[in-house]
Amino acid sequence: MLKSTLLLLTLLVSGAASAQKAQPALLAELPAASPPPTTTVTTVAPANGVRYEYQLVRLDNDARIFFAPAWEGRTVLEPDFRSLAREMRPGAAEVLLLNALNALSAEGWELLEIRTSERPVGARQTVETSLTFNDPNRPQYDTKTTYDSELQTRYLLRRALAR
């Protein structure tokens, strides 16, 4: 009786161990080295001996345009929302931004710097299962990692101060 109990226990333990070895890992660990933040700056050479005032224009992720300091009494421009669902027309934010940059240029502002920065804010991993040769005992696992990032572009303008 004791031998049969030991034999049954050994078979159960070895079967559970082999079943654990046969199971593939469904989710691989996310890579430790995520994409690094990047910043790109385009500059114009400074002119020595001239004093300037500066204007910063930034397009937000919510399609709002921010001015620092205020330009024509405004600190924020927002696109016109046409429907009750508050959906904006395609390109509405870009039209506002380019109109503002054109108006600043007409007032004598010179584009000094364009700064574009991108930083990762999260990652998602999904697993898809498909059958290899229609064999349910040999599924194939495909993992896909997607990185989400935040992109921001700022425009720095200047104009010479009257002496």
Side-chain angles (χ1 to χ4, degrees), residues 22-132:
Q23 290 285 339
L26 290 181
L27 284 177
E29 288 189 31
L30 287 174
S34 63
T38 58
T39 301
T40 306
V41 179
T42 305
T43 60
V44 175
N48 295 332
V50 180
R51 294 189 54 195
Y52 293 98
E53 64 178 322
Y54 294 90
Q55 178 73 49
L56 182 69
V57 181
R58 179 175 60 92
L59 178 63
D60 192 6
N61 288 337
D62 295 332
R64 293 182 300 186
I65 299 164
F66 292 94
F67 298 99
W71 173 64
E72 293 183 351
R74 294 180 161 187
T75 56
V76 178
L77 284 179
E78 292 182 302
D80 185 23
F81 294 102
R82 293 286 180 191
S83 68
L84 294 176
R86 296 197 45 91
E87 293 180 15
M88 67 178 167
R89 294 174 305 186
E94 288 82 1
V95 168
L96 275 179
L97 175 66
L98 291 176
N99 284 340
L101 290 175
N102 287 337
L104 284 165
S105 177
E107 290 177 9
W109 293 89
E110 171 190 8
L111 183 62
L112 178 65
E113 174 183 285
I114 301 172
R115 179 180 297 253
T116 304
S117 61
E118 181 177 9
R119 67 179 181 95
V121 293
R124 288 187 312 259
Q125 193 173 44
T126 58
V127 177
E128 294 179 3
T129 305
S130 61
L131 297 178
T132 307

